[in-house]
Amino acid sequence: MKRKLAPSMLSADFGHLEKDLRLAVDAGADYIHVDVMDGHFVPNISFGPPVIKVVRKIIPDCIMDVHLMVTEPVRFLKDYAECGADILTVHAEAVKDLKTTLREIASAGIKTGAAVSPDTPVSAITPVLPMLDQVLVMSVYPGYGGQSLIPETLDKIRELVEIREQSGLSYDIEIDGGVKLSNLEEVLAAGTDVIVAGSAIFGHDIPAMVKRFRDTISEGS
Ligand code: DX5
Ligand code: ZN
């Protein structure tokens, strides 16, 4: 699999969202990572379906990687399907019935993801790994951009690589939180397939940063 870069729009300039996202996609971003926060599962509120619908409209050619930091998101899956999400990731800690939630995502024709927060072991999602297109390993506590990567979380990426090899599965492994050019090589060496980066890309020279990330990612492939 070609390793992917997913700039997180949480750090974009919302006053110039179209410009920021267009610059990122045209410079080679593979996905746009979209962080939905409900003020309940995480102590912060970001945006929801109306904004995601706008992103789909203004950047129709992007792959929207939607990260739901939402308690029991099964209530809203239909809305996200209608917004044009391509990948929907739910948190293992935020749902009672992970299997049913993932089944509903898949039956809406959307790729499935499950996320684990820093204190959640991989074992919390082992039973659903065969159902997943993507596993998201949170390398910071969910809720805010601009935090520092917790190095111990890279062990979970190594563990997920090993399980995937042993069991013949094919999920992608995504890392989210605190990834910078300075730790990117270490993150790639752990076996990460999809790199989320927010504050390291937006608020800077966006095309230049996307290119620098992409170059390092391609070298590591
Ligand atoms: C945190 C979000 C992240 C965040 C990443 O809860 O899930 O996607 O935007 O931002 P940086 O790269 O700044 O840590
Ligand atoms: Zn995220």
Side-chain angles (χ1 to χ4, degrees), residues 26-64:
D26 287 354
D30 301 283
Y31 299 162
I32 292 295
H33 184 80
V34 180
D35 286 309
V36 179
M37 302 178 181
D38 67 352
H40 184 266
F41 175 64
V42 287
N44 195 9
I45 293 175
S46 58
F47 40 74
V51 174
I52 301 176
K53 212 177 250 174
V54 169
V55 174
R56 170 51 73 225
K57 196 171 159 221
I58 59 179
I59 316 284
D61 50 327
C62 79
I63 295 175
M64 277 201 290

mmCIF file of all heavy atoms in Angstrom, residues 26-64:
data_model
loop_
_atom_site.group_PDB
_atom_site.id
_atom_site.type_symbol
_atom_site.label_atom_id
_atom_site.label_comp_id
_atom_site.label_asym_id
_atom_site.label_seq_id
_atom_site.Cartn_x
_atom_site.Cartn_y
_atom_site.Cartn_z
ATOM 1 N N ASP A 26 -3.838 19.928 -3.648
ATOM 2 C CA ASP A 26 -3.070 20.114 -4.886
ATOM 3 C C ASP A 26 -1.580 19.839 -4.684
ATOM 4 O O ASP A 26 -0.872 19.488 -5.627
ATOM 5 C CB ASP A 26 -3.281 21.525 -5.457
ATOM 6 C CG ASP A 26 -4.677 21.674 -6.070
ATOM 7 O OD1 ASP A 26 -5.405 20.655 -6.132
ATOM 8 O OD2 ASP A 26 -5.049 22.794 -6.458
ATOM 9 N N ALA A 27 -1.110 19.993 -3.459
ATOM 10 C CA ALA A 27 0.313 19.729 -3.190
ATOM 11 C C ALA A 27 0.585 18.238 -2.953
ATOM 12 O O ALA A 27 1.727 17.832 -2.819
ATOM 13 C CB ALA A 27 0.764 20.536 -1.971
ATOM 14 N N GLY A 28 -0.481 17.425 -2.884
ATOM 15 C CA GLY A 28 -0.255 15.984 -2.770
ATOM 16 C C GLY A 28 -0.827 15.303 -1.540
ATOM 17 O O GLY A 28 -0.502 14.138 -1.280
ATOM 18 N N ALA A 29 -1.684 16.000 -0.792
ATOM 19 C CA ALA A 29 -2.330 15.334 0.351
ATOM 20 C C ALA A 29 -3.224 14.219 -0.181
ATOM 21 O O ALA A 29 -3.933 14.413 -1.166
ATOM 22 C CB ALA A 29 -3.169 16.338 1.145
ATOM 23 N N ASP A 30 -3.178 13.058 0.468
ATOM 24 C CA ASP A 30 -3.967 11.910 -0.009
ATOM 25 C C ASP A 30 -5.394 11.962 0.541
ATOM 26 O O ASP A 30 -6.338 11.595 -0.145
ATOM 27 C CB ASP A 30 -3.291 10.615 0.430
ATOM 28 C CG ASP A 30 -1.875 10.525 -0.112
ATOM 29 O OD1 ASP A 30 -1.726 10.226 -1.309
ATOM 30 O OD2 ASP A 30 -0.925 10.798 0.650
ATOM 31 N N TYR A 31 -5.516 12.325 1.824
ATOM 32 C CA TYR A 31 -6.824 12.457 2.462
ATOM 33 C C TYR A 31 -6.912 13.854 3.085
ATOM 34 O O TYR A 31 -5.879 14.495 3.316
ATOM 35 C CB TYR A 31 -6.987 11.488 3.641
ATOM 36 C CG TYR A 31 -6.895 10.011 3.372
ATOM 37 C CD1 TYR A 31 -6.665 9.130 4.448
ATOM 38 C CD2 TYR A 31 -7.071 9.460 2.101
ATOM 39 C CE1 TYR A 31 -6.601 7.754 4.252
ATOM 40 C CE2 TYR A 31 -7.001 8.077 1.903
ATOM 41 C CZ TYR A 31 -6.764 7.232 2.982
ATOM 42 O OH TYR A 31 -6.684 5.876 2.802
ATOM 43 N N ILE A 32 -8.151 14.272 3.407
ATOM 44 C CA ILE A 32 -8.335 15.366 4.362
ATOM 45 C C ILE A 32 -8.915 14.725 5.618
ATOM 46 O O ILE A 32 -9.953 14.048 5.569
ATOM 47 C CB ILE A 32 -9.286 16.454 3.813
ATOM 48 C CG1 ILE A 32 -8.642 17.197 2.632
ATOM 49 C CG2 ILE A 32 -9.665 17.443 4.922
ATOM 50 C CD1 ILE A 32 -7.394 18.010 2.955
ATOM 51 N N HIS A 33 -8.219 14.891 6.736
ATOM 52 C CA HIS A 33 -8.663 14.318 8.008
ATOM 53 C C HIS A 33 -9.600 15.318 8.673
ATOM 54 O O HIS A 33 -9.266 16.497 8.841
ATOM 55 C CB HIS A 33 -7.437 14.047 8.882
ATOM 56 C CG HIS A 33 -7.736 13.369 10.170
ATOM 57 N ND1 HIS A 33 -7.959 12.004 10.272
ATOM 58 C CD2 HIS A 33 -7.863 13.866 11.426
ATOM 59 C CE1 HIS A 33 -8.196 11.698 11.535
ATOM 60 N NE2 HIS A 33 -8.155 12.809 12.262
ATOM 61 N N VAL A 34 -10.785 14.832 9.042
ATOM 62 C CA VAL A 34 -11.857 15.713 9.517
ATOM 63 C C VAL A 34 -12.225 15.306 10.950
ATOM 64 O O VAL A 34 -12.773 14.224 11.170
ATOM 65 C CB VAL A 34 -13.080 15.578 8.576
ATOM 66 C CG1 VAL A 34 -14.203 16.468 9.038
ATOM 67 C CG2 VAL A 34 -12.703 15.896 7.127
ATOM 68 N N ASP A 35 -11.899 16.151 11.920
ATOM 69 C CA ASP A 35 -12.089 15.821 13.335
ATOM 70 C C ASP A 35 -13.420 16.340 13.858
ATOM 71 O O ASP A 35 -13.590 17.548 14.042
ATOM 72 C CB ASP A 35 -10.970 16.463 14.163
ATOM 73 C CG ASP A 35 -9.655 15.747 13.988
ATOM 74 O OD1 ASP A 35 -9.625 14.509 14.142
ATOM 75 O OD2 ASP A 35 -8.645 16.423 13.703
ATOM 76 N N VAL A 36 -14.314 15.417 14.149
ATOM 77 C CA VAL A 36 -15.617 15.803 14.703
ATOM 78 C C VAL A 36 -15.581 15.586 16.219
ATOM 79 O O VAL A 36 -15.301 14.484 16.683
ATOM 80 C CB VAL A 36 -16.747 14.964 14.072
ATOM 81 C CG1 VAL A 36 -18.095 15.353 14.667
ATOM 82 C CG2 VAL A 36 -16.756 15.130 12.559
ATOM 83 N N MET A 37 -15.835 16.653 16.979
ATOM 84 C CA MET A 37 -15.789 16.573 18.452
ATOM 85 C C MET A 37 -17.117 17.039 19.022
ATOM 86 O O MET A 37 -17.639 18.080 18.607
ATOM 87 C CB MET A 37 -14.685 17.474 18.989
ATOM 88 C CG MET A 37 -13.326 17.135 18.440
ATOM 89 S SD MET A 37 -12.087 18.266 19.081
ATOM 90 C CE MET A 37 -10.636 17.641 18.262
ATOM 91 N N ASP A 38 -17.628 16.266 19.979
ATOM 92 C CA ASP A 38 -19.011 16.513 20.427
ATOM 93 C C ASP A 38 -19.125 17.205 21.784
ATOM 94 O O ASP A 38 -20.237 17.396 22.289
ATOM 95 C CB ASP A 38 -19.787 15.198 20.443
ATOM 96 C CG ASP A 38 -19.281 14.214 21.512
ATOM 97 O OD1 ASP A 38 -18.229 14.478 22.144
ATOM 98 O OD2 ASP A 38 -19.945 13.178 21.705
ATOM 99 N N GLY A 39 -17.995 17.546 22.417
ATOM 100 C CA GLY A 39 -18.085 18.185 23.735
ATOM 101 C C GLY A 39 -18.554 17.219 24.818
ATOM 102 O O GLY A 39 -18.846 17.638 25.947
ATOM 103 N N HIS A 40 -18.607 15.927 24.498
ATOM 104 C CA HIS A 40 -19.059 14.922 25.460
ATOM 105 C C HIS A 40 -18.028 13.808 25.570
ATOM 106 O O HIS A 40 -17.454 13.592 26.631
ATOM 107 C CB HIS A 40 -20.427 14.361 25.023
ATOM 108 C CG HIS A 40 -21.011 13.407 26.003
ATOM 109 N ND1 HIS A 40 -20.835 12.044 25.910
ATOM 110 C CD2 HIS A 40 -21.756 13.626 27.108
ATOM 111 C CE1 HIS A 40 -21.443 11.461 26.933
ATOM 112 N NE2 HIS A 40 -22.000 12.394 27.674
ATOM 113 N N PHE A 41 -17.736 13.165 24.452
ATOM 114 C CA PHE A 41 -16.654 12.170 24.453
ATOM 115 C C PHE A 41 -15.312 12.860 24.672
ATOM 116 O O PHE A 41 -14.419 12.325 25.317
ATOM 117 C CB PHE A 41 -16.648 11.375 23.140
ATOM 118 C CG PHE A 41 -15.481 10.420 23.061
ATOM 119 C CD1 PHE A 41 -15.358 9.367 23.954
ATOM 120 C CD2 PHE A 41 -14.485 10.589 22.111
ATOM 121 C CE1 PHE A 41 -14.272 8.505 23.903
ATOM 122 C CE2 PHE A 41 -13.397 9.740 22.048
ATOM 123 C CZ PHE A 41 -13.289 8.692 22.953
ATOM 124 N N VAL A 42 -15.173 14.047 24.109
ATOM 125 C CA VAL A 42 -13.978 14.871 24.344
ATOM 126 C C VAL A 42 -14.419 16.251 24.844
ATOM 127 O O VAL A 42 -15.518 16.696 24.524
ATOM 128 C CB VAL A 42 -13.126 15.049 23.052
ATOM 129 C CG1 VAL A 42 -12.397 13.772 22.689
ATOM 130 C CG2 VAL A 42 -13.967 15.518 21.885
ATOM 131 N N PRO A 43 -13.560 16.916 25.597
ATOM 132 C CA PRO A 43 -13.981 18.203 26.189
ATOM 133 C C PRO A 43 -13.833 19.375 25.227
ATOM 134 O O PRO A 43 -13.339 20.427 25.593
ATOM 135 C CB PRO A 43 -13.021 18.343 27.383
ATOM 136 C CG PRO A 43 -11.791 17.619 26.952
ATOM 137 C CD PRO A 43 -12.228 16.505 26.045
ATOM 138 N N ASN A 44 -14.247 19.183 23.999
ATOM 139 C CA ASN A 44 -14.102 20.233 22.990
ATOM 140 C C ASN A 44 -15.159 19.996 21.918
ATOM 141 O O ASN A 44 -15.607 18.862 21.723
ATOM 142 C CB ASN A 44 -12.694 20.144 22.376
ATOM 143 C CG ASN A 44 -12.304 21.383 21.594
ATOM 144 O OD1 ASN A 44 -13.008 22.405 21.619
ATOM 145 N ND2 ASN A 44 -11.194 21.317 20.881
ATOM 146 N N ILE A 45 -15.550 21.062 21.259
ATOM 147 C CA ILE A 45 -16.537 20.959 20.183
ATOM 148 C C ILE A 45 -15.880 21.501 18.917
ATOM 149 O O ILE A 45 -15.232 22.553 18.963
ATOM 150 C CB ILE A 45 -17.803 21.782 20.527
ATOM 151 C CG1 ILE A 45 -18.523 21.148 21.730
ATOM 152 C CG2 ILE A 45 -18.751 21.867 19.322
ATOM 153 C CD1 ILE A 45 -19.721 21.937 22.225
ATOM 154 N N SER A 46 -16.021 20.790 17.806
ATOM 155 C CA SER A 46 -15.426 21.313 16.567
ATOM 156 C C SER A 46 -16.528 21.636 15.561
ATOM 157 O O SER A 46 -17.052 22.745 15.542
ATOM 158 C CB SER A 46 -14.394 20.342 15.987
ATOM 159 O OG SER A 46 -14.964 19.080 15.735
ATOM 160 N N PHE A 47 -16.899 20.681 14.760
ATOM 161 C CA PHE A 47 -17.927 20.914 13.726
ATOM 162 C C PHE A 47 -18.587 19.580 13.430
ATOM 163 O O PHE A 47 -18.105 18.531 13.861
ATOM 164 C CB PHE A 47 -17.316 21.517 12.468
ATOM 165 C CG PHE A 47 -15.987 20.921 12.107
ATOM 166 C CD1 PHE A 47 -15.904 19.646 11.563
ATOM 167 C CD2 PHE A 47 -14.809 21.607 12.379
ATOM 168 C CE1 PHE A 47 -14.678 19.082 11.280
ATOM 169 C CE2 PHE A 47 -13.566 21.040 12.092
ATOM 170 C CZ PHE A 47 -13.513 19.771 11.540
ATOM 171 N N GLY A 48 -19.667 19.647 12.680
ATOM 172 C CA GLY A 48 -20.407 18.428 12.366
ATOM 173 C C GLY A 48 -20.841 18.392 10.917
ATOM 174 O O GLY A 48 -20.226 19.050 10.063
ATOM 175 N N PRO A 49 -21.907 17.641 10.631
ATOM 176 C CA PRO A 49 -22.312 17.393 9.241
ATOM 177 C C PRO A 49 -22.447 18.632 8.353
ATOM 178 O O PRO A 49 -21.989 18.576 7.201
ATOM 179 C CB PRO A 49 -23.652 16.656 9.403
ATOM 180 C CG PRO A 49 -23.496 15.943 10.696
ATOM 181 C CD PRO A 49 -22.706 16.858 11.582
ATOM 182 N N PRO A 50 -23.004 19.770 8.806
ATOM 183 C CA PRO A 50 -23.136 20.884 7.850
ATOM 184 C C PRO A 50 -21.789 21.357 7.295
ATOM 185 O O PRO A 50 -21.679 21.665 6.105
ATOM 186 C CB PRO A 50 -23.795 21.998 8.686
ATOM 187 C CG PRO A 50 -24.465 21.283 9.804
ATOM 188 C CD PRO A 50 -23.610 20.097 10.101
ATOM 189 N N VAL A 51 -20.766 21.363 8.152
ATOM 190 C CA VAL A 51 -19.438 21.803 7.697
ATOM 191 C C VAL A 51 -18.807 20.743 6.783
ATOM 192 O O VAL A 51 -18.175 21.063 5.771
ATOM 193 C CB VAL A 51 -18.529 22.119 8.909
ATOM 194 C CG1 VAL A 51 -17.106 22.426 8.472
ATOM 195 C CG2 VAL A 51 -19.106 23.285 9.700
ATOM 196 N N ILE A 52 -19.017 19.491 7.122
ATOM 197 C CA ILE A 52 -18.443 18.409 6.309
ATOM 198 C C ILE A 52 -19.058 18.418 4.906
ATOM 199 O O ILE A 52 -18.377 18.203 3.906
ATOM 200 C CB ILE A 52 -18.645 17.045 6.993
ATOM 201 C CG1 ILE A 52 -17.972 17.086 8.364
ATOM 202 C CG2 ILE A 52 -18.069 15.920 6.161
ATOM 203 C CD1 ILE A 52 -18.164 15.864 9.184
ATOM 204 N N LYS A 53 -20.351 18.714 4.875
ATOM 205 C CA LYS A 53 -21.039 18.822 3.583
ATOM 206 C C LYS A 53 -20.404 19.927 2.727
ATOM 207 O O LYS A 53 -20.230 19.784 1.519
ATOM 208 C CB LYS A 53 -22.514 19.160 3.845
ATOM 209 C CG LYS A 53 -23.450 18.575 2.829
ATOM 210 C CD LYS A 53 -24.895 18.888 3.177
ATOM 211 C CE LYS A 53 -25.635 17.667 3.611
ATOM 212 N NZ LYS A 53 -26.983 17.914 4.082
ATOM 213 N N VAL A 54 -20.029 21.013 3.366
ATOM 214 C CA VAL A 54 -19.391 22.121 2.652
ATOM 215 C C VAL A 54 -18.022 21.677 2.114
ATOM 216 O O VAL A 54 -17.668 21.968 0.973
ATOM 217 C CB VAL A 54 -19.248 23.363 3.573
ATOM 218 C CG1 VAL A 54 -18.356 24.416 2.937
ATOM 219 C CG2 VAL A 54 -20.617 23.945 3.890
ATOM 220 N N VAL A 55 -17.274 20.945 2.929
ATOM 221 C CA VAL A 55 -15.956 20.468 2.476
ATOM 222 C C VAL A 55 -16.125 19.589 1.244
ATOM 223 O O VAL A 55 -15.396 19.730 0.254
ATOM 224 C CB VAL A 55 -15.226 19.696 3.601
ATOM 225 C CG1 VAL A 55 -13.932 19.081 3.080
ATOM 226 C CG2 VAL A 55 -14.948 20.615 4.781
ATOM 227 N N ARG A 56 -17.104 18.711 1.273
ATOM 228 C CA ARG A 56 -17.343 17.835 0.120
ATOM 229 C C ARG A 56 -17.644 18.667 -1.128
ATOM 230 O O ARG A 56 -17.205 18.355 -2.222
ATOM 231 C CB ARG A 56 -18.496 16.868 0.453
ATOM 232 C CG ARG A 56 -19.049 16.054 -0.653
ATOM 233 C CD ARG A 56 -17.985 15.300 -1.456
ATOM 234 N NE ARG A 56 -17.371 14.172 -0.814
ATOM 235 C CZ ARG A 56 -16.045 13.926 -0.823
ATOM 236 N NH1 ARG A 56 -15.199 14.762 -1.424
ATOM 237 N NH2 ARG A 56 -15.549 12.873 -0.239
ATOM 238 N N LYS A 57 -18.381 19.777 -0.912
ATOM 239 C CA LYS A 57 -18.779 20.606 -2.043
ATOM 240 C C LYS A 57 -17.595 21.436 -2.588
ATOM 241 O O LYS A 57 -17.397 21.522 -3.797
ATOM 242 C CB LYS A 57 -19.906 21.539 -1.579
ATOM 243 C CG LYS A 57 -20.653 22.164 -2.713
ATOM 244 C CD LYS A 57 -21.888 22.904 -2.238
ATOM 245 C CE LYS A 57 -22.273 23.914 -3.302
ATOM 246 N NZ LYS A 57 -22.689 25.178 -2.759
ATOM 247 N N ILE A 58 -16.801 22.008 -1.686
ATOM 248 C CA ILE A 58 -15.738 22.901 -2.167
ATOM 249 C C ILE A 58 -14.503 22.136 -2.656
ATOM 250 O O ILE A 58 -13.756 22.635 -3.485
ATOM 251 C CB ILE A 58 -15.342 23.983 -1.115
ATOM 252 C CG1 ILE A 58 -14.864 23.355 0.189
ATOM 253 C CG2 ILE A 58 -16.491 24.952 -0.872
ATOM 254 C CD1 ILE A 58 -14.435 24.360 1.261
ATOM 255 N N ILE A 59 -14.284 20.925 -2.099
ATOM 256 C CA ILE A 59 -13.132 20.115 -2.540
ATOM 257 C C ILE A 59 -13.681 18.738 -2.946
ATOM 258 O O ILE A 59 -13.438 17.727 -2.256
ATOM 259 C CB ILE A 59 -12.065 19.957 -1.415
ATOM 260 C CG1 ILE A 59 -11.803 21.285 -0.683
ATOM 261 C CG2 ILE A 59 -10.759 19.371 -1.971
ATOM 262 C CD1 ILE A 59 -10.958 22.286 -1.448
ATOM 263 N N PRO A 60 -14.404 18.672 -4.048
ATOM 264 C CA PRO A 60 -15.084 17.412 -4.380
ATOM 265 C C PRO A 60 -14.118 16.255 -4.651
ATOM 266 O O PRO A 60 -14.503 15.092 -4.530
ATOM 267 C CB PRO A 60 -15.890 17.755 -5.648
ATOM 268 C CG PRO A 60 -15.388 19.062 -6.133
ATOM 269 C CD PRO A 60 -14.688 19.743 -5.022
ATOM 270 N N ASP A 61 -12.869 16.586 -4.993
ATOM 271 C CA ASP A 61 -11.906 15.542 -5.350
ATOM 272 C C ASP A 61 -11.126 15.001 -4.157
ATOM 273 O O ASP A 61 -10.218 14.202 -4.335
ATOM 274 C CB ASP A 61 -10.927 16.089 -6.407
ATOM 275 C CG ASP A 61 -10.319 17.441 -6.012
ATOM 276 O OD1 ASP A 61 -11.018 18.240 -5.352
ATOM 277 O OD2 ASP A 61 -9.144 17.694 -6.345
ATOM 278 N N CYS A 62 -11.459 15.409 -2.921
ATOM 279 C CA CYS A 62 -10.663 14.890 -1.791
ATOM 280 C C CYS A 62 -11.289 13.630 -1.200
ATOM 281 O O CYS A 62 -12.486 13.386 -1.340
ATOM 282 C CB CYS A 62 -10.479 15.954 -0.706
ATOM 283 S SG CYS A 62 -11.893 16.183 0.376
ATOM 284 N N ILE A 63 -10.459 12.846 -0.549
ATOM 285 C CA ILE A 63 -10.959 11.694 0.212
ATOM 286 C C ILE A 63 -11.123 12.168 1.652
ATOM 287 O O ILE A 63 -10.151 12.592 2.283
ATOM 288 C CB ILE A 63 -9.982 10.504 0.109
ATOM 289 C CG1 ILE A 63 -9.930 10.021 -1.344
ATOM 290 C CG2 ILE A 63 -10.398 9.374 1.050
ATOM 291 C CD1 ILE A 63 -8.926 8.924 -1.612
ATOM 292 N N MET A 64 -12.359 12.137 2.137
ATOM 293 C CA MET A 64 -12.623 12.644 3.500
ATOM 294 C C MET A 64 -12.519 11.508 4.514
ATOM 295 O O MET A 64 -13.307 10.564 4.514
ATOM 296 C CB MET A 64 -14.017 13.280 3.567
ATOM 297 C CG MET A 64 -14.035 14.710 3.079
ATOM 298 S SD MET A 64 -15.457 15.617 3.714
ATOM 299 C CE MET A 64 -16.768 14.843 2.825
#
